[in-house]
Amino acid sequence: MKSPLFRDPIYDGAADPVVIWNRQAKEWWMIYTNRRATQEGPKYGWVHGTDLGVASSSDGGSTWLYRGILEGLETEWGRNTFWAPEVIWHEGLYHMYVTYVHGVPQDWTGKARIRHYTSPDLIRWNFQSTLGISEENVIDACVYRLPNGTFRMWFKQWNHTYAADSKDLYDWQPIGPVITERGHEGPNVFRLGGYYWMIVDEWRGQGVYRSNDLEAWERNGLILDQPGKREDDGTIGLHADVVVQGEEGYIFYFTHPGRVHGHNGDSGYDMRRSSIQVAKLNVVDGDLFCDRDEAFTLLMNEEDIQSP
């Protein structure tokens, strides 16, 4: 499989990918945080002021073409920050839940909220609301439908995973903490090999949790914590998305290839740039494994079977 799978040709800072089938264009789309790795400036301004980049694939995910950024998301004046999109398809509309930070802070003091947008085609977006799930900073939404038909959103709050429920994808009611072990972010939920899984970015690899019912979660190890041998894959895998195709699971994640030795993330382009990678997931005897060096051919079908 090609490595890296994709690099953003404008700022070289593709991160936090979500991969979804575009039903209108009949191709796969990757929407991601378009970090400005080439941007000069103090501290962490380069990870703020970010748009959502778009790449498309017409060959099942093997190769990706940069297409631009999502437009029409701003509802106020100036340059603001968009992070970590989650996009699902439901009853004729795409629903996007994206982290929004006012302005372009130079550090981590910006107040973050999750915004809801809808679109008929992944191009024209309509702002619906800023979710009132917490008065504190909330980021990194993930949405999956429960067996009873209710939608559940998992998100990062206070470096842990919290959740909220909705019957219609518009009105959300917080239900409290879900995963409160060591600090983490970027929850992602999927079903594979007879179990539900949640992965969370622990900044040392992806923490893995397993569930039979999407309610009780049991720790199931760590993946993407050991360096891979492919180009740009020699460090930990960060903030990931999973696409399941039948009995096959594929994890899309990003790396900072220059941070093999743990350099500071604001210390220049070589430490800031990032690459999108993909690897295959396997469930063996009830455990989730990922050998990022395993050879495979990525050929995703025309339907994301886990779309609600």
Side-chain angles (χ1 to χ4, degrees), residues 154 178-179 181 188-200 202 206-223 282-289:
W154 294 267
V178 177
I179 305 293
E181 297 180 23
N188 190 263
V189 173
F190 57 97
R191 184 169 177 82
L192 182 67
Y195 297 95
Y196 297 104
W197 302 94
M198 181 191 298
I199 54 172
V200 297
E202 297 183 352
Q206 300 290 308
V208 179
Y209 293 84
R210 186 182 68 191
S211 177
N212 291 315
D213 58 5
L214 294 168
E215 298 287 350
W217 295 93
E218 176 186 7
R219 180 75 179 193
N220 192 253
L222 196 65
I223 62 173
N282 295 290
V283 177
V284 181
D285 296 329
D287 295 322
L288 186 71
F289 294 95

Side-chain angles (χ1 to χ4, degrees), residues 103-269:
V104 186
Q106 294 181 15
D107 50 29
W108 303 109
T109 60
K111 192 172 184 179
R113 291 288 181 267
I114 294 173
R115 286 186 162 199
H116 178 204
Y117 295 81
T118 58
S119 172
D121 55 12
L122 291 176
I123 297 173
R124 296 168 293 158
W125 290 95
N126 297 304
F127 174 67
Q128 298 297 332
S129 70
T130 299
L131 302 190
I133 50 180
S134 174
E135 294 183 358
E136 304 296 331
N137 281 349
V138 288
I139 67 173
D140 297 352
C142 164
V143 177
Y144 196 91
R145 199 171 194 178
L146 304 180
N148 65 7
T150 299
F151 293 92
R152 178 156 295 173
M153 175 184 293
W154 294 267
F155 52 91
K156 176 190 175 183
Q157 181 177 345
W158 297 316
N159 280 346
H160 293 139
T161 293
Y162 282 64
D165 282 355
S166 175
K167 294 181 180 179
D168 61 5
L169 292 173
Y170 293 86
D171 297 317
W172 294 87
Q173 300 300 318
I175 62 173
V178 177
I179 305 293
T180 57
E181 297 180 23
R182 63 174 295 140
H184 61 267
E185 63 185 10
N188 190 263
V189 173
F190 57 97
R191 184 169 177 82
L192 182 67
Y195 297 95
Y196 297 104
W197 302 94
M198 181 191 298
I199 54 172
V200 297
D201 186 352
E202 297 183 352
W203 311 298
R204 57 168 187 162
Q206 300 290 308
V208 179
Y209 293 84
R210 186 182 68 191
S211 177
N212 291 315
D213 58 5
L214 294 168
E215 298 287 350
W217 295 93
E218 176 186 7
R219 180 75 179 193
N220 192 253
L222 196 65
I223 62 173
L224 300 181
D225 56 317
Q226 298 300 314
K229 298 178 181 178
R230 301 180 297 175
E231 181 180 349
D232 278 9
D233 204 28
T235 185
I236 58 173
L238 298 160
H239 196 127
D241 185 41
V242 174
V243 174
V244 174
Q245 298 264 287
E247 297 303 314
E248 304 289 340
Y250 303 100
I251 185 166
F252 295 81
Y253 58 96
F254 79 96
T255 64
H256 283 298
R259 297 192 193 181
V260 175
H261 303 294
H263 293 279
N264 194 327
D266 67 351
S267 57
Y269 165 72

Side-chain angles (χ1 to χ4, degrees), residues 1-2 5-9 14 17-32 52-70 121-123 252 276 298 300:
M1 190 62 215
K2 177 186 176 183
L5 184 67
F6 176 75
R7 288 173 64 178
D8 177 86
V18 61
V19 177
I20 187 167
W21 176 248
N22 185 321
R23 287 156 172 80
Q24 289 69 38
K26 303 299 182 184
E27 58 191 11
W28 287 92
W29 274 30
M30 180 192 301
I31 304 174
Y32 57 91
L52 298 182
V54 178
S56 65
S57 174
S58 57
D59 60 5
S62 293
T63 60
W64 294 84
L65 175 67
Y66 175 78
R67 301 291 297 277
I69 62 172
L70 295 188
D121 55 12
L122 291 176
I123 297 173
F252 295 81
I276 303 293
L298 182 61
M300 295 186 293

Side-chain angles (χ1 to χ4, degrees), residues 10-13 34-50 104 266 268-269 272:
I10 307 301
Y11 289 117
D12 208 9
N34 198 8
R35 289 180 173 178
R36 302 177 298 143
T38 58
Q39 181 73 30
E40 296 293 334
K43 295 186 179 180
Y44 293 97
W46 66 281
V47 297
H48 296 87
T50 46
V104 186
D266 67 351
Y269 165 72
R272 295 174 176 181

